């Protein structure tokens, strides 16, 4: 098994497809590699199948037009919890004061249903961790690594000609232009931000 981030991204995409078999309304995962370096205290900092299923809850909420979080996405409300329970995730009775019902765990049925998927993803994550643990300052992992991430998580400021700005993962901006609705010009990452992130 290769240990490169694209292989891990492929395993994440396959795990997402496995979830879609049971939940067909779940939208496709646009960029699985964005989850590799992503970290969130509300959703769980460590990448795992449980966290992937958590993200799938958000995907189904979006497909249904359900507002499942507040406080800039940190607080996971009872609408999030209802969808999470549909998908095989449990939560303690009381919500966390700052993140609500974000800390979910797989119920026994979901553990059985997704066991092969979980095992396959765990092998890919272990291989990825072993490969990246050997990195040194002389290691090169491609453009995304220069921004402090293996494909996601670290956002930098991108600006347009009229002065508006957005925070964006550089690898996402590299996929296709993001156009400003005010001046209709593409957002770009200033050279200063690129140098600071290197």
């Amino acid at each position: 098994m290769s240990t490169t981030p694209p292989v891990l991204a492929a395993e994440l995409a396959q795990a997402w497809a496995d979830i879609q078999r049971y939940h067909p309304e779940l939208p496709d995962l646009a960029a699985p590699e964005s989850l590799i370096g992503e970290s969130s205290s509300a959703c769980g900092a460590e990448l795992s199948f449980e966290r992937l299923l958590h993200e799938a809850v958000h995907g189904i909420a979006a497909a249904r037009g359900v507002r499942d979080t507040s406080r800039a996405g940190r607080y996971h409300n009872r609408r999030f919890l209802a969808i999470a329970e549909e998908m095989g995730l449990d939560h303690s009775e009381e919500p966390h004061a700052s993140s609500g019902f974000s800390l979910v765990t797989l119920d026994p049925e979901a553990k059985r249903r997704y066991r092969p998927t979980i095992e396959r993803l765990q092998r890919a994550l272990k291989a990825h961790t072993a490969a990246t643990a050997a990195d040194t300052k002389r290691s090169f992992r491609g453009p995304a690594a220069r921004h402090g991430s293996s494909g996601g998580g670290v956002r930098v400021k991108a600006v347009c000609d009229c002065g508006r700005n957005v925070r964006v993962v550089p690898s996402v901006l590299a996929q296709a232009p993001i156009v400003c609705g005010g001046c209709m010009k593409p957002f770009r990452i200033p050279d200063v931000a690129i140098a600071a992130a290197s």
Side-chain angles (χ1 to χ4, degrees), residues 91-107:
H91 189 280
S92 61
E93 292 297 317
E94 295 300 314
H96 185 273
S98 62
S99 62
F101 295 100
S102 69
L103 301 175
V104 289
T105 57
L106 288 169
D107 70 21

Side-chain angles (χ1 to χ4, degrees), residues 10-24 26 49 52-53 56 87 113-121:
E11 290 293 344
L12 287 166
Q14 181 58 55
W16 192 266
D18 292 349
I19 298 168
Q20 284 177 311
R21 274 201 315 254
Y22 295 98
H23 303 280
L26 178 63
F49 181 78
L52 193 64
L53 200 56
M87 297 184 71
R113 175 187 305 147
Y114 294 113
R115 185 174 176 213
T117 304
I118 293 166
E119 290 173 354
R120 194 178 62 242
L121 186 58

Side-chain angles (χ1 to χ4, degrees), residues 29-189:
L29 183 60
E33 64 277 3
S34 68
L35 294 172
I36 296 171
E38 187 80 22
S39 153
S40 165
S41 59
C43 301
E46 198 171 303
L47 186 55
S48 65
F49 181 78
E50 205 164 71
R51 179 151 156 253
L52 193 64
L53 200 56
H54 173 123
E55 296 299 337
V57 172
H58 291 303
I60 287 182
R64 294 178 181 175
V66 171
R67 186 170 178 202
D68 63 342
T69 63
S70 58
R71 301 182 196 165
R74 288 185 307 275
Y75 191 87
H76 293 58
N77 59 35
R78 290 194 183 275
R79 290 181 293 272
F80 171 87
L81 181 58
I83 298 170
E85 288 172 347
E86 283 178 41
M87 297 184 71
L89 292 167
D90 284 331
H91 189 280
S92 61
E93 292 297 317
E94 295 300 314
H96 185 273
S98 62
S99 62
F101 295 100
S102 69
L103 301 175
V104 289
T105 57
L106 288 169
D107 70 21
E109 174 57 31
K111 284 180 185 175
R112 278 190 299 278
R113 175 187 305 147
Y114 294 113
R115 185 174 176 213
T117 304
I118 293 166
E119 290 173 354
R120 194 178 62 242
L121 186 58
Q122 284 176 335
R123 282 192 303 271
L125 286 166
K126 280 183 185 175
H128 175 74
T129 300
T132 56
D135 282 355
T136 67
K137 289 184 179 183
R138 295 191 44 81
S139 299
F140 179 74
R141 291 207 165 269
R146 290 195 300 272
H147 300 289
S149 166
S150 56
V154 178
R155 290 163 176 80
V156 297
K157 184 164 77 171
V159 297
C160 67
D161 287 349
C162 71
R164 296 177 72 207
N165 66 71
V166 295
R167 290 265 175 202
V168 64
V169 176
S171 62
V172 171
L173 192 59
Q175 292 172 11
I178 298 174
V179 179
C180 172
C183 67
M184 302 311 290
K185 301 280 174 120
F187 284 95
R188 58 185 165 60
I189 299 172

